[in-house]
Each structure stands twice: as C-alpha cells, then as structure tokens.
Amino acid sequence: MSGFRHVAMFRWAEGTTTGQQDEVAARLGELPGVLPEIREYSLGTNAGVNPGGYDFVVVADFADKDDYLAYRDHPAHRAVVEEFVSPIAAERAAIQYEL
Amino acid sequence: MSGFRHVAMFRWAEGTTTGQQDEVAARLGELPGVLPEIREYSLGTNAGVNPGGYDFVVVADFADKDDYLAYRDHPAHRAVVEEFVSPIAAERAAIQYEL
C-alpha cells in the first residue's frame, strides 16, 4: 500500500471536561465529509491499558503529501484546531510518514 | 471495522546513527512473522514535512486487547525493545485505543 500518514497524539490539560474532549472528536469527525483528500480517518481515546499514555490520537491517511498538506492547512481543520483542540491540549506528539 | 490499535512514537537520542535507526525498523519488521496476533504493522520514519515531529512511529493493529497484550509482552518484542529501541530512544509517546 502506498500513501501518506499523519499521526498526532494529545495529552489534555488537567481540568478538561469529557464534554470538551467529546467535542474535539465530534468536530474532527466531521472533517472527512468536508475534505475528500482524507482517505482514512481514525480517532481514538486511550483505552487505559498502560500507564503514561496520551489521551487522544488522530491517524489520518492520504494519497500523498500534497493531500495531507491540503488537510493540514484547510480552514475547516484549522478552525477545529484553534477553537476546540488547542485550548485543551497540554502536550502534542506528531509524525508524518510515507506508507 | 473493529479491533485494537497501538501507536508508539519515538524521538531518537542525539548522536544516534542511521544504522541504529535502520536496525530498529529491521528488527521490528520481523515481528509480524513471529507474532500472528499482529494484523497490520506499519513502521514509519518522519517525512520531514513539519518541524518538531517525532522520528519514528509504530502503528500496530490487533483483533482485540488480548492480542495486543500478547504482542506487548512477547519475548521477541521485549528483546527488540531492550536491545535496539530503548538504548537510542530519548522520548516515547504512546496510546492504545479501540478501533
């Protein structure tokens, strides 16, 4: 399989409500309907198996780097990041790689 | 789709050689042949698109949490982690979630 994958993990700030966390997942979950460049979009909440894990993850697959960049910079994505993700994110870990 | 996903990102320590990094990918890449519990196994090296990203990522899919735990605790996996990953890892970010 070929393609380009973006992975971003977040640790939510202390005091963040589950309502805020659910809102992030709900808003991000709307993006595949807006951005046809998204081939696969997987959102995950820590299953609580191991200590020290991050709270939330986005795994997004694209045909190529350009499609990823279109997603990264799209106003609909930026709006969700600025309004819902950044305000509650204490830590972020990310990587992009060729599939 | 249902299943259980493990994602782990690593930042390699300064002074790490590309030979050591390649060795990690090669050794991990052998695990699907040893562990039938691994349904999908994706290893990635940072494509260099964004600043501040992690260096390496493992995205591993399993049928369920128990299959993930079998992988996590399998001697073949532990050996690769102890001999090749841990010695060069400066930072690790991980999460497990239900697909």
Side-chain angles (χ1 to χ4, degrees):
Chain A
M1 183 180 147
S2 74
F4 194 84
R5 178 172 282 174
H6 162 68
V7 185
M9 289 183 205
F10 299 90
R11 219 188 279 282
W12 302 134
E14 282 202 47
T16 300
T17 67
T18 52
Q20 288 175 299
Q21 297 169 18
D22 292 347
E23 188 79 15
V24 165
R27 298 288 179 153
L28 288 175
E30 292 170 359
L31 295 179
V34 179
L35 277 146
E37 290 87 354
I38 298 172
R39 183 192 271 175
E40 298 276 347
Y41 206 57
S42 177
L43 306 174
T45 299
N46 197 313
V49 176
N50 299 315
Y54 274 58
D55 297 313
F56 183 76
V57 64
V58 179
V59 180
D61 289 353
F62 306 89
D64 53 33
K65 186 175 80 174
D66 286 347
D67 277 4
Y68 158 67
L69 293 174
Y71 160 82
R72 186 192 69 178
D73 301 332
H74 193 282
H77 178 227
R78 299 317 314 163
V80 175
V81 169
E82 281 160 37
E83 289 170 41
F84 299 98
V85 180
S86 295
I88 67 167
E91 222 172 323
R92 179 179 183 274
I95 188 169
Q96 294 79 37
Y97 69 101
E98 301 277 351
L99 287 172
Chain B
M1 182 179 146
S2 73
F4 195 85
R5 177 172 282 175
H6 163 69
V7 185
M9 290 183 205
F10 298 90
R11 219 187 278 283
W12 303 135
E14 281 201 48
T16 299
T17 67
T18 52
Q20 288 175 298
Q21 297 170 18
D22 292 347
E23 188 78 14
V24 165
R27 298 287 179 155
L28 288 175
E30 291 170 1
L31 295 179
V34 179
L35 276 145
E37 289 87 354
I38 299 172
R39 183 192 272 174
E40 298 277 345
Y41 205 58
S42 178
L43 306 174
T45 299
N46 197 314
V49 176
N50 299 315
Y54 274 58
D55 297 314
F56 183 74
V57 64
V58 179
V59 181
D61 289 354
F62 305 89
D64 53 32
K65 186 176 79 176
D66 285 346
D67 277 4
Y68 158 67
L69 293 174
Y71 160 81
R72 186 193 69 178
D73 300 332
H74 192 284
H77 178 226
R78 300 317 313 164
V80 175
V81 170
E82 280 160 37
E83 290 170 39
F84 300 97
V85 179
S86 296
I88 67 168
E91 222 173 324
R92 179 179 183 273
I95 188 170
Q96 295 79 38
Y97 69 101
E98 301 277 351
L99 287 172

